[in-house]
Amino acid sequence: DIQMTQSPSSLSASVGDRVTITCRASQGISKYLAWFQQKPGKAPKSLIYDTSISQSGVPSKFSGSGSGTDFTLTISSLQPEDFATYYCQQYYTYPITFGQGTRLEIK
Amino acid sequence: EVQLVESGGDLVQPGGSLRLSCAASGFTFNRHWMSWVRQAPGKGLEWVANIVQGGGEKYYVDSVKGRFTISRDNAKNSLFLQMSSLRVEDTAVYFCARGMCTSTNCYAAGLDVWGQGTVVTVSS
C-alpha cells in the first residue's frame, strides 16, 4: 500500500497568514493526489484533485502543487472559516489511501 | 440539490452484520463511481470500497475484504454496504461519496460530494 505522510500534523497560524501543508507519498503517484478539508462533526469537503485542479466553488486562496512523491497545499490569507483539518489522498492505485491529517488551529 | 443521505448505522455486537444505505438525489446517479469512506472516533479518513457505474467493478481495502460487500441499485439511485463479521475496529462514521465527472469523463476518485455520515458502533 502507498503510505501518505502529511507534515506538520498540526499547525497554529493567525488570520491573514499564508500556510503550506506537505504530503509525501511512499512511492510515486504521478499527479493523482487530492486535498480535502474537514471541520469537526462534518463531512469532508473536496478542495483539489489531480494535484492542482480546484473543485468548482473552491476559493482561489487554496492551491496545490507537486508531482511524483511530494505535494503541497497552500492556503493564502487565512480566514476564520479555514481553520479545520486537511487531508491528502492518493488515487494512483488501490487501495486508495489518505494522509493522517493536518489540524490547522488559530494562534 | 445534489445530495447523499446515508442510513442504517447502529450499535451491533462483534460478529454481527449491518447494511448501510446511501440515497442519492439531484444528479444522474448511474454516471458516477461511488465510494464508502469511514472515520473512526478521533481518527483520520479511511477509504473502504468503491464501485463502478454499472456495478461490475468493485474494490476494497484489505481490512474489509471478504467481510464487506459494496453494491448499488441504479434504478433506485442507491448505494449499499453490506457489513458482516463486524469487529470492534469497524466502529466509525461511514460516509458515502461520489466520484467526480467532468464534461467528458467520470472518475473513481475526486470525491466531490459527500453524505453526512452514519454511525456504526461495534461493541458487546
Side-chain angles (χ1 to χ4, degrees), chain A residues 45-87:
Chain A
K45 174 186 176 182
S46 177
L47 298 175
I48 286 171
Y49 67 97
D50 283 359
T51 296
S52 60
I53 303 175
S54 295
Q55 289 282 8
S56 175
V58 172
S60 59
K61 62 171 26 181
F62 294 95
S63 62
S65 64
S67 67
T69 60
D70 295 309
F71 301 86
T72 60
L73 172 71
T74 299
I75 312 170
S76 62
S77 187
L78 281 171
Q79 296 302 305
E81 61 269 22
D82 300 327
F83 291 92
T85 300
Y86 292 84
Y87 294 92

mmCIF file of all heavy atoms in Angstrom, chain A residues 45-87:
data_model
loop_
_atom_site.group_PDB
_atom_site.id
_atom_site.type_symbol
_atom_site.label_atom_id
_atom_site.label_comp_id
_atom_site.label_asym_id
_atom_site.label_seq_id
_atom_site.Cartn_x
_atom_site.Cartn_y
_atom_site.Cartn_z
ATOM 1 N N LYS A 45 -14.814 17.974 2.707
ATOM 2 C CA LYS A 45 -15.128 18.762 1.524
ATOM 3 C C LYS A 45 -13.948 18.667 0.578
ATOM 4 O O LYS A 45 -12.793 18.868 0.980
ATOM 5 C CB LYS A 45 -15.375 20.226 1.910
ATOM 6 C CG LYS A 45 -15.565 21.158 0.720
ATOM 7 C CD LYS A 45 -15.655 22.606 1.161
ATOM 8 C CE LYS A 45 -15.749 23.547 -0.031
ATOM 9 N NZ LYS A 45 -15.797 24.974 0.382
ATOM 10 N N SER A 46 -14.231 18.369 -0.685
ATOM 11 C CA SER A 46 -13.177 18.265 -1.673
ATOM 12 C C SER A 46 -12.698 19.656 -2.072
ATOM 13 O O SER A 46 -13.497 20.533 -2.397
ATOM 14 C CB SER A 46 -13.692 17.528 -2.906
ATOM 15 O OG SER A 46 -12.701 17.472 -3.907
ATOM 16 N N LEU A 47 -11.385 19.844 -2.034
ATOM 17 C CA LEU A 47 -10.799 21.128 -2.432
ATOM 18 C C LEU A 47 -10.123 21.036 -3.799
ATOM 19 O O LEU A 47 -10.336 21.878 -4.664
ATOM 20 C CB LEU A 47 -9.754 21.567 -1.400
ATOM 21 C CG LEU A 47 -10.224 21.825 0.018
ATOM 22 C CD1 LEU A 47 -9.029 22.128 0.909
ATOM 23 C CD2 LEU A 47 -11.237 22.961 0.059
ATOM 24 N N ILE A 48 -9.273 20.048 -3.951
ATOM 25 C CA ILE A 48 -8.377 19.952 -5.115
ATOM 26 C C ILE A 48 -8.267 18.510 -5.540
ATOM 27 O O ILE A 48 -8.268 17.600 -4.691
ATOM 28 C CB ILE A 48 -6.995 20.534 -4.751
ATOM 29 C CG1 ILE A 48 -7.067 22.067 -4.678
ATOM 30 C CG2 ILE A 48 -5.904 20.107 -5.740
ATOM 31 C CD1 ILE A 48 -5.835 22.722 -4.127
ATOM 32 N N TYR A 49 -8.181 18.271 -6.850
ATOM 33 C CA TYR A 49 -7.895 16.949 -7.387
ATOM 34 C C TYR A 49 -6.823 17.069 -8.456
ATOM 35 O O TYR A 49 -6.490 18.175 -8.890
ATOM 36 C CB TYR A 49 -9.171 16.294 -7.934
ATOM 37 C CG TYR A 49 -9.760 16.971 -9.155
ATOM 38 C CD1 TYR A 49 -9.482 16.508 -10.437
ATOM 39 C CD2 TYR A 49 -10.597 18.076 -9.024
ATOM 40 C CE1 TYR A 49 -10.012 17.124 -11.546
ATOM 41 C CE2 TYR A 49 -11.130 18.706 -10.132
ATOM 42 C CZ TYR A 49 -10.843 18.221 -11.392
ATOM 43 O OH TYR A 49 -11.368 18.844 -12.497
ATOM 44 N N ASP A 50 -6.279 15.919 -8.842
ATOM 45 C CA ASP A 50 -5.174 15.902 -9.821
ATOM 46 C C ASP A 50 -4.090 16.928 -9.461
ATOM 47 O O ASP A 50 -3.594 17.665 -10.322
ATOM 48 C CB ASP A 50 -5.701 16.152 -11.240
ATOM 49 C CG ASP A 50 -6.379 14.929 -11.838
ATOM 50 O OD1 ASP A 50 -6.419 13.880 -11.146
ATOM 51 O OD2 ASP A 50 -6.879 15.009 -12.957
ATOM 52 N N THR A 51 -3.745 16.954 -8.188
ATOM 53 C CA THR A 51 -2.678 17.784 -7.612
ATOM 54 C C THR A 51 -2.995 19.274 -7.528
ATOM 55 O O THR A 51 -2.704 19.915 -6.518
ATOM 56 C CB THR A 51 -1.350 17.604 -8.390
ATOM 57 O OG1 THR A 51 -0.899 16.265 -8.244
ATOM 58 C CG2 THR A 51 -0.265 18.548 -7.894
ATOM 59 N N SER A 52 -3.570 19.825 -8.583
ATOM 60 C CA SER A 52 -3.644 21.290 -8.624
ATOM 61 C C SER A 52 -4.956 21.846 -9.169
ATOM 62 O O SER A 52 -5.084 23.067 -9.295
ATOM 63 C CB SER A 52 -2.498 21.830 -9.480
ATOM 64 O OG SER A 52 -2.587 21.329 -10.803
ATOM 65 N N ILE A 53 -5.908 21.000 -9.500
ATOM 66 C CA ILE A 53 -7.168 21.473 -10.074
ATOM 67 C C ILE A 53 -8.184 21.670 -8.961
ATOM 68 O O ILE A 53 -8.512 20.742 -8.222
ATOM 69 C CB ILE A 53 -7.707 20.491 -11.127
ATOM 70 C CG1 ILE A 53 -6.672 20.266 -12.228
ATOM 71 C CG2 ILE A 53 -9.008 21.031 -11.707
ATOM 72 C CD1 ILE A 53 -7.073 19.234 -13.245
ATOM 73 N N SER A 54 -8.686 22.891 -8.866
ATOM 74 C CA SER A 54 -9.647 23.199 -7.810
ATOM 75 C C SER A 54 -11.037 22.704 -8.169
ATOM 76 O O SER A 54 -11.476 22.844 -9.315
ATOM 77 C CB SER A 54 -9.695 24.695 -7.555
ATOM 78 O OG SER A 54 -8.457 25.150 -7.041
ATOM 79 N N GLN A 55 -11.721 22.166 -7.198
ATOM 80 C CA GLN A 55 -13.120 21.821 -7.392
ATOM 81 C C GLN A 55 -13.935 23.099 -7.599
ATOM 82 O O GLN A 55 -13.567 24.180 -7.127
ATOM 83 C CB GLN A 55 -13.663 21.060 -6.180
ATOM 84 C CG GLN A 55 -13.121 19.656 -6.039
ATOM 85 C CD GLN A 55 -13.771 18.649 -6.979
ATOM 86 O OE1 GLN A 55 -14.553 19.010 -7.860
ATOM 87 N NE2 GLN A 55 -13.456 17.363 -6.796
ATOM 88 N N SER A 56 -15.043 22.945 -8.264
ATOM 89 C CA SER A 56 -15.913 24.075 -8.521
ATOM 90 C C SER A 56 -16.326 24.738 -7.213
ATOM 91 O O SER A 56 -16.707 24.057 -6.253
ATOM 92 C CB SER A 56 -17.164 23.599 -9.281
ATOM 93 O OG SER A 56 -18.081 24.643 -9.438
ATOM 94 N N GLY A 57 -16.221 26.050 -7.161
ATOM 95 C CA GLY A 57 -16.653 26.793 -5.993
ATOM 96 C C GLY A 57 -15.609 26.955 -4.907
ATOM 97 O O GLY A 57 -15.851 27.665 -3.926
ATOM 98 N N VAL A 58 -14.461 26.321 -5.069
ATOM 99 C CA VAL A 58 -13.410 26.447 -4.055
ATOM 100 C C VAL A 58 -12.652 27.753 -4.283
ATOM 101 O O VAL A 58 -12.211 28.031 -5.400
ATOM 102 C CB VAL A 58 -12.449 25.245 -4.120
ATOM 103 C CG1 VAL A 58 -11.241 25.450 -3.203
ATOM 104 C CG2 VAL A 58 -13.198 23.966 -3.733
ATOM 105 N N PRO A 59 -12.489 28.549 -3.237
ATOM 106 C CA PRO A 59 -11.811 29.845 -3.420
ATOM 107 C C PRO A 59 -10.377 29.676 -3.930
ATOM 108 O O PRO A 59 -9.702 28.701 -3.610
ATOM 109 C CB PRO A 59 -11.813 30.436 -2.001
ATOM 110 C CG PRO A 59 -12.905 29.743 -1.283
ATOM 111 C CD PRO A 59 -12.991 28.374 -1.872
ATOM 112 N N SER A 60 -9.934 30.671 -4.671
ATOM 113 C CA SER A 60 -8.596 30.627 -5.262
ATOM 114 C C SER A 60 -7.486 30.707 -4.222
ATOM 115 O O SER A 60 -6.315 30.495 -4.546
ATOM 116 C CB SER A 60 -8.434 31.749 -6.289
ATOM 117 O OG SER A 60 -8.631 33.002 -5.677
ATOM 118 N N LYS A 61 -7.826 30.986 -2.978
ATOM 119 C CA LYS A 61 -6.826 31.008 -1.916
ATOM 120 C C LYS A 61 -6.215 29.632 -1.681
ATOM 121 O O LYS A 61 -5.152 29.503 -1.110
ATOM 122 C CB LYS A 61 -7.440 31.505 -0.618
ATOM 123 C CG LYS A 61 -8.550 30.606 -0.129
ATOM 124 C CD LYS A 61 -9.094 30.891 1.268
ATOM 125 C CE LYS A 61 -8.991 32.216 1.786
ATOM 126 N NZ LYS A 61 -9.521 32.387 3.147
ATOM 127 N N PHE A 62 -6.921 28.587 -2.106
ATOM 128 C CA PHE A 62 -6.423 27.220 -1.967
ATOM 129 C C PHE A 62 -5.716 26.829 -3.268
ATOM 130 O O PHE A 62 -6.320 26.886 -4.343
ATOM 131 C CB PHE A 62 -7.563 26.242 -1.708
ATOM 132 C CG PHE A 62 -8.257 26.446 -0.402
ATOM 133 C CD1 PHE A 62 -9.411 27.219 -0.319
ATOM 134 C CD2 PHE A 62 -7.763 25.861 0.758
ATOM 135 C CE1 PHE A 62 -10.050 27.408 0.898
ATOM 136 C CE2 PHE A 62 -8.404 26.046 1.982
ATOM 137 C CZ PHE A 62 -9.553 26.831 2.049
ATOM 138 N N SER A 63 -4.460 26.410 -3.149
ATOM 139 C CA SER A 63 -3.741 25.986 -4.339
ATOM 140 C C SER A 63 -2.886 24.763 -4.015
ATOM 141 O O SER A 63 -2.387 24.606 -2.898
ATOM 142 C CB SER A 63 -2.867 27.116 -4.892
ATOM 143 O OG SER A 63 -1.885 27.489 -3.954
ATOM 144 N N GLY A 64 -2.749 23.906 -5.004
ATOM 145 C CA GLY A 64 -1.963 22.696 -4.829
ATOM 146 C C GLY A 64 -0.876 22.598 -5.872
ATOM 147 O O GLY A 64 -1.014 23.114 -6.989
ATOM 148 N N SER A 65 0.195 21.915 -5.492
ATOM 149 C CA SER A 65 1.297 21.719 -6.435
ATOM 150 C C SER A 65 2.031 20.448 -6.082
ATOM 151 O O SER A 65 1.800 19.829 -5.031
ATOM 152 C CB SER A 65 2.241 22.917 -6.416
ATOM 153 O OG SER A 65 2.865 23.032 -5.147
ATOM 154 N N GLY A 66 2.967 20.068 -6.980
ATOM 155 C CA GLY A 66 3.793 18.892 -6.740
ATOM 156 C C GLY A 66 3.660 17.872 -7.836
ATOM 157 O O GLY A 66 2.903 18.051 -8.797
ATOM 158 N N SER A 67 4.418 16.793 -7.692
ATOM 159 C CA SER A 67 4.329 15.659 -8.596
ATOM 160 C C SER A 67 5.203 14.542 -8.055
ATOM 161 O O SER A 67 6.095 14.782 -7.239
ATOM 162 C CB SER A 67 4.774 16.033 -10.015
ATOM 163 O OG SER A 67 6.152 16.328 -10.028
ATOM 164 N N GLY A 68 4.918 13.337 -8.503
ATOM 165 C CA GLY A 68 5.744 12.221 -8.067
ATOM 166 C C GLY A 68 5.433 11.790 -6.642
ATOM 167 O O GLY A 68 4.473 11.064 -6.403
ATOM 168 N N THR A 69 6.252 12.244 -5.703
ATOM 169 C CA THR A 69 6.056 11.854 -4.305
ATOM 170 C C THR A 69 5.821 13.020 -3.363
ATOM 171 O O THR A 69 5.407 12.803 -2.222
ATOM 172 C CB THR A 69 7.282 11.076 -3.779
ATOM 173 O OG1 THR A 69 8.441 11.902 -3.866
ATOM 174 C CG2 THR A 69 7.498 9.788 -4.572
ATOM 175 N N ASP A 70 6.074 14.240 -3.792
ATOM 176 C CA ASP A 70 5.988 15.395 -2.895
ATOM 177 C C ASP A 70 4.985 16.419 -3.383
ATOM 178 O O ASP A 70 5.074 16.890 -4.531
ATOM 179 C CB ASP A 70 7.367 16.038 -2.731
ATOM 180 C CG ASP A 70 8.347 15.109 -2.034
ATOM 181 O OD1 ASP A 70 7.999 14.594 -0.962
ATOM 182 O OD2 ASP A 70 9.442 14.886 -2.577
ATOM 183 N N PHE A 71 4.076 16.773 -2.500
ATOM 184 C CA PHE A 71 2.954 17.637 -2.849
ATOM 185 C C PHE A 71 2.727 18.657 -1.742
ATOM 186 O O PHE A 71 3.064 18.410 -0.582
ATOM 187 C CB PHE A 71 1.689 16.791 -3.040
ATOM 188 C CG PHE A 71 1.842 15.742 -4.112
ATOM 189 C CD1 PHE A 71 2.387 14.508 -3.792
ATOM 190 C CD2 PHE A 71 1.451 15.997 -5.408
ATOM 191 C CE1 PHE A 71 2.548 13.541 -4.764
ATOM 192 C CE2 PHE A 71 1.603 15.036 -6.392
ATOM 193 C CZ PHE A 71 2.158 13.806 -6.080
ATOM 194 N N THR A 72 2.144 19.788 -2.121
ATOM 195 C CA THR A 72 1.829 20.811 -1.136
ATOM 196 C C THR A 72 0.452 21.396 -1.381
ATOM 197 O O THR A 72 -0.018 21.484 -2.520
ATOM 198 C CB THR A 72 2.854 21.961 -1.158
ATOM 199 O OG1 THR A 72 2.858 22.558 -2.447
ATOM 200 C CG2 THR A 72 4.245 21.474 -0.793
ATOM 201 N N LEU A 73 -0.185 21.778 -0.275
ATOM 202 C CA LEU A 73 -1.407 22.570 -0.294
ATOM 203 C C LEU A 73 -1.054 23.893 0.357
ATOM 204 O O LEU A 73 -0.542 23.918 1.485
ATOM 205 C CB LEU A 73 -2.524 21.889 0.488
ATOM 206 C CG LEU A 73 -3.802 22.713 0.687
ATOM 207 C CD1 LEU A 73 -4.555 22.862 -0.643
ATOM 208 C CD2 LEU A 73 -4.706 22.065 1.740
ATOM 209 N N THR A 74 -1.315 24.971 -0.345
ATOM 210 C CA THR A 74 -1.063 26.302 0.198
ATOM 211 C C THR A 74 -2.386 27.027 0.361
ATOM 212 O O THR A 74 -3.236 26.995 -0.533
ATOM 213 C CB THR A 74 -0.133 27.104 -0.721
ATOM 214 O OG1 THR A 74 1.131 26.424 -0.819
ATOM 215 C CG2 THR A 74 0.103 28.499 -0.168
ATOM 216 N N ILE A 75 -2.548 27.638 1.515
ATOM 217 C CA ILE A 75 -3.742 28.430 1.794
ATOM 218 C C ILE A 75 -3.263 29.847 2.083
ATOM 219 O O ILE A 75 -2.472 30.062 3.010
ATOM 220 C CB ILE A 75 -4.523 27.897 3.010
ATOM 221 C CG1 ILE A 75 -4.720 26.383 2.917
ATOM 222 C CG2 ILE A 75 -5.883 28.599 3.119
ATOM 223 C CD1 ILE A 75 -5.272 25.748 4.185
ATOM 224 N N SER A 76 -3.729 30.772 1.287
ATOM 225 C CA SER A 76 -3.287 32.156 1.476
ATOM 226 C C SER A 76 -4.346 32.932 2.246
ATOM 227 O O SER A 76 -5.530 32.579 2.245
ATOM 228 C CB SER A 76 -3.026 32.820 0.120
ATOM 229 O OG SER A 76 -4.222 32.859 -0.626
ATOM 230 N N SER A 77 -3.897 33.970 2.940
ATOM 231 C CA SER A 77 -4.780 34.877 3.650
ATOM 232 C C SER A 77 -5.845 34.127 4.462
ATOM 233 O O SER A 77 -7.051 34.205 4.171
ATOM 234 C CB SER A 77 -5.449 35.845 2.660
ATOM 235 O OG SER A 77 -6.175 36.833 3.358
ATOM 236 N N LEU A 78 -5.382 33.410 5.475
ATOM 237 C CA LEU A 78 -6.276 32.591 6.289
ATOM 238 C C LEU A 78 -7.412 33.409 6.881
ATOM 239 O O LEU A 78 -7.212 34.522 7.394
ATOM 240 C CB LEU A 78 -5.492 31.946 7.421
ATOM 241 C CG LEU A 78 -4.658 30.711 7.079
ATOM 242 C CD1 LEU A 78 -3.764 30.340 8.263
ATOM 243 C CD2 LEU A 78 -5.550 29.550 6.690
ATOM 244 N N GLN A 79 -8.601 32.839 6.809
ATOM 245 C CA GLN A 79 -9.787 33.404 7.440
ATOM 246 C C GLN A 79 -10.295 32.438 8.500
ATOM 247 O O GLN A 79 -9.939 31.246 8.483
ATOM 248 C CB GLN A 79 -10.850 33.685 6.388
ATOM 249 C CG GLN A 79 -10.436 34.735 5.364
ATOM 250 C CD GLN A 79 -10.090 36.066 6.025
ATOM 251 O OE1 GLN A 79 -10.895 36.637 6.762
ATOM 252 N NE2 GLN A 79 -8.876 36.551 5.764
ATOM 253 N N PRO A 80 -11.120 32.910 9.413
ATOM 254 C CA PRO A 80 -11.583 32.017 10.499
ATOM 255 C C PRO A 80 -12.202 30.716 9.999
ATOM 256 O O PRO A 80 -12.028 29.672 10.628
ATOM 257 C CB PRO A 80 -12.611 32.894 11.226
ATOM 258 C CG PRO A 80 -12.139 34.287 10.998
ATOM 259 C CD PRO A 80 -11.572 34.295 9.609
ATOM 260 N N GLU A 81 -12.867 30.756 8.862
ATOM 261 C CA GLU A 81 -13.534 29.542 8.360
ATOM 262 C C GLU A 81 -12.555 28.522 7.774
ATOM 263 O O GLU A 81 -12.954 27.404 7.443
ATOM 264 C CB GLU A 81 -14.586 29.909 7.303
ATOM 265 C CG GLU A 81 -14.047 30.600 6.071
ATOM 266 C CD GLU A 81 -14.054 32.123 6.193
ATOM 267 O OE1 GLU A 81 -14.083 32.636 7.332
ATOM 268 O OE2 GLU A 81 -14.039 32.780 5.128
ATOM 269 N N ASP A 82 -11.284 28.899 7.639
ATOM 270 C CA ASP A 82 -10.281 27.976 7.084
ATOM 271 C C ASP A 82 -9.669 27.075 8.147
ATOM 272 O O ASP A 82 -8.949 26.127 7.803
ATOM 273 C CB ASP A 82 -9.164 28.756 6.392
ATOM 274 C CG ASP A 82 -9.674 29.624 5.253
ATOM 275 O OD1 ASP A 82 -10.657 29.220 4.588
ATOM 276 O OD2 ASP A 82 -9.097 30.701 5.021
ATOM 277 N N PHE A 83 -9.934 27.363 9.404
ATOM 278 C CA PHE A 83 -9.330 26.547 10.462
ATOM 279 C C PHE A 83 -10.106 25.240 10.557
ATOM 280 O O PHE A 83 -11.301 25.219 10.876
ATOM 281 C CB PHE A 83 -9.285 27.331 11.767
ATOM 282 C CG PHE A 83 -8.308 28.476 11.684
ATOM 283 C CD1 PHE A 83 -8.723 29.740 11.282
ATOM 284 C CD2 PHE A 83 -6.963 28.288 11.956
ATOM 285 C CE1 PHE A 83 -7.815 30.800 11.173
ATOM 286 C CE2 PHE A 83 -6.056 29.332 11.853
ATOM 287 C CZ PHE A 83 -6.486 30.588 11.449
ATOM 288 N N ALA A 84 -9.404 24.160 10.228
ATOM 289 C CA ALA A 84 -10.013 22.848 10.027
ATOM 290 C C ALA A 84 -8.889 21.820 9.934
ATOM 291 O O ALA A 84 -7.710 22.159 10.110
ATOM 292 C CB ALA A 84 -10.829 22.846 8.741
ATOM 293 N N THR A 85 -9.268 20.588 9.658
ATOM 294 C CA THR A 85 -8.275 19.541 9.396
ATOM 295 C C THR A 85 -8.236 19.269 7.898
ATOM 296 O O THR A 85 -9.281 19.194 7.250
ATOM 297 C CB THR A 85 -8.608 18.261 10.174
ATOM 298 O OG1 THR A 85 -8.610 18.550 11.582
ATOM 299 C CG2 THR A 85 -7.578 17.174 9.903
ATOM 300 N N TYR A 86 -7.037 19.121 7.386
ATOM 301 C CA TYR A 86 -6.835 18.909 5.952
ATOM 302 C C TYR A 86 -6.207 17.540 5.719
ATOM 303 O O TYR A 86 -5.282 17.139 6.440
ATOM 304 C CB TYR A 86 -5.951 20.020 5.385
ATOM 305 C CG TYR A 86 -6.640 21.355 5.405
ATOM 306 C CD1 TYR A 86 -6.631 22.158 6.545
ATOM 307 C CD2 TYR A 86 -7.374 21.797 4.296
ATOM 308 C CE1 TYR A 86 -7.319 23.364 6.583
ATOM 309 C CE2 TYR A 86 -8.044 22.998 4.323
ATOM 310 C CZ TYR A 86 -8.017 23.776 5.483
ATOM 311 O OH TYR A 86 -8.709 24.963 5.505
ATOM 312 N N TYR A 87 -6.722 16.847 4.714
ATOM 313 C CA TYR A 87 -6.237 15.516 4.371
ATOM 314 C C TYR A 87 -5.811 15.475 2.904
ATOM 315 O O TYR A 87 -6.518 15.997 2.042
ATOM 316 C CB TYR A 87 -7.332 14.461 4.552
ATOM 317 C CG TYR A 87 -7.785 14.244 5.966
ATOM 318 C CD1 TYR A 87 -8.866 14.955 6.483
ATOM 319 C CD2 TYR A 87 -7.144 13.314 6.788
ATOM 320 C CE1 TYR A 87 -9.288 14.761 7.787
ATOM 321 C CE2 TYR A 87 -7.574 13.109 8.100
ATOM 322 C CZ TYR A 87 -8.642 13.833 8.590
ATOM 323 O OH TYR A 87 -9.060 13.627 9.886
#
